[in-house]
């Protein structure tokens, strides 16, 4: 059997279905109370069956094993007692591992979102800056064109003034000579 999702198993003694999500590595039939040992682990979170012993579920990332603090034996994450020394396994340790994974997932997601928004804001900022630069260049071009038009107008005005003054001097000189 490969790593397939296994939710129920038929009891080998009475063929009654056994819900694996509620069981650990040692399975007991609720109908006939027979016990059997499951080769591998079932994830307590998503119910995926892992034939190969691994520390975390390949589907949801939940811890599949816990280490007994007394004898350091690896136990299934859903076990209440150590399979070697019988010590009670602290359920709060399992919850903290799950919360740690959830927190890390949430923080990773927040980091990805922050990076996305940072890149989006950078692209928007560059787009706005490009627009502002284009507007500034257009404004400066308009100013240069107005200055050129004003300079041309000033030159025409000076030319007209010089022409009028020259005619005035000529007329005054012509009347003075006469």
């Amino acid at each position: 059997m490969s790593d397939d999702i296994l939710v129920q198993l038929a009891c080998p003694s009475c063929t009654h279905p056994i819900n694996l999500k509620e069981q650990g590595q040692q399975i007991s039939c609720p109908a006939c109370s027979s016990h059997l040992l499951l080769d591998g682990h079932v994830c307590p979170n998503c119910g995926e069956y892992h034939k190969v012993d691994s520390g975390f579920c390949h589907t949801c990332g939940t811890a599949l094993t816990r280490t007994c603090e007394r004898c350091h034996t690896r136990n299934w994450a859903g076990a209440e007692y150590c399979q070697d020394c019988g010590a009670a396994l602290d359920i709060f340790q399992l919850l903290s591992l799950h919360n740690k994974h959830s927190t890390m997932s949430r923080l990773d997601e927040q980091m990805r979102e922050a990076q996305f928004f940072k890149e989006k804001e950078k692209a928007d900022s560059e787009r706005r800056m490009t627009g502002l630069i284009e507007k500034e260049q257009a404004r400066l071009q308009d100013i240069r064109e107005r200055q050129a038009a004003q300079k041309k107008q000033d030159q025409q005005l000076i030319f007209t003034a010089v022409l009028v003054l020259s005619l005035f001097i000529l007329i005054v000189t012509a009347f003075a000579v006469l």
Side-chain angles (χ1 to χ4, degrees), residues 2-125:
S2 63
D3 286 346
D4 296 330
I5 295 179
L6 194 63
V7 178
Q8 287 189 344
L9 179 70
C11 175
S13 301
C14 68
T15 67
H16 185 271
I18 302 171
N19 186 351
L20 293 178
K21 283 190 175 184
E22 300 169 358
Q23 302 285 333
Q25 190 171 5
Q26 297 176 351
I27 299 171
S28 61
C29 177
C32 68
S33 299
S34 64
H35 297 284
L36 59 128
L37 186 63
L38 184 66
D39 185 25
H41 293 287
V42 175
C43 176
N45 187 38
C46 69
E48 181 166 342
Y49 172 71
H50 296 275
K51 187 169 187 168
V52 178
D53 189 19
S54 63
F56 292 91
C57 176
H58 300 288
T59 302
C60 68
T62 302
L64 294 178
T65 59
R66 291 193 287 171
T67 304
C68 175
E69 296 200 13
R70 183 188 295 171
C71 69
H72 304 291
T73 302
R74 285 179 46 159
N75 295 283
W76 178 67
E80 294 180 19
Y81 299 98
C82 176
Q83 65 184 2
D84 191 39
C85 69
L89 297 174
D90 187 12
I91 191 69
F92 294 114
Q93 181 185 14
L94 176 64
L95 291 174
S96 71
L97 285 175
H98 179 70
N99 287 340
K100 180 180 178 184
H101 177 71
S102 298
T103 301
M104 289 178 69
S105 297
R106 188 182 77 248
L107 290 175
D108 286 343
E109 180 63 27
Q110 287 175 348
M111 290 295 288
R112 282 191 295 276
E113 286 178 3
Q115 185 65 29
F116 169 77
F117 286 120
K118 183 178 178 181
E119 290 171 2
K120 184 179 182 301
E121 182 59 33
K122 182 179 178 183
D124 290 346
S125 178

